[in-house]
């Protein structure tokens, strides 16, 4: 996983509910989540899966979901914290 846990990345987006200028991205081994703030307090989250990150000729699948920047984003972060295992700390 990226240095930031996915649930924390979504939580950071919720904390910035007033918006941000550029696209933000989180990357895992086979998953990338890109977040773009749009007018009226909505965020487009594009979830992209790919089986091989080291090959450029592989397939990719993506879907974009729309979430309200404040409460819905906070709820999504809380749901991800419940659903996903917490990352292990390096020893």
């Amino acid at each position: 996983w990226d240095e930031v846990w996915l649930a924390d990345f979504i939580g950071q987006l919720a904390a910035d509910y007033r918006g941000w200028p550029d696209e933000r991205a989180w990357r895992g081994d086979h998953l990338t989540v890109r977040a773009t703030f749009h007018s009226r307090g909505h965020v487009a989250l594009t979830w992209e899966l790919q089986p091989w990150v080291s090959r450029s000729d592989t397939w990719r699948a993506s879907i974009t979901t729309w979430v309200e920047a404040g409460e819905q984003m906070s709820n999504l972060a809380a749901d991800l914290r419940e659903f996903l295992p917490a990352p292990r700390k390096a020893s």
Side-chain angles (χ1 to χ4, degrees), residues 30-65:
H30 301 280
L31 174 66
T32 299
V33 179
R34 292 186 315 274
T36 307
F37 188 85
H38 291 269
S39 63
R40 299 184 189 239
H42 288 87
V43 177
L45 293 174
T46 301
W47 308 78
E48 183 177 276
L49 289 172
Q50 65 183 61
W52 297 283
V53 244
S54 60
R55 293 180 50 181
S56 62
D57 63 340
T58 187
W59 62 266
R60 293 178 183 192
S62 67
I63 187 167
T64 300
T65 56

Side-chain angles (χ1 to χ4, degrees), residues 70-81:
E71 190 68 24
Q72 282 187 352
M73 191 72 73
S74 294
N75 290 340
L76 177 58
D79 289 346
L80 287 171
R81 282 187 182 93

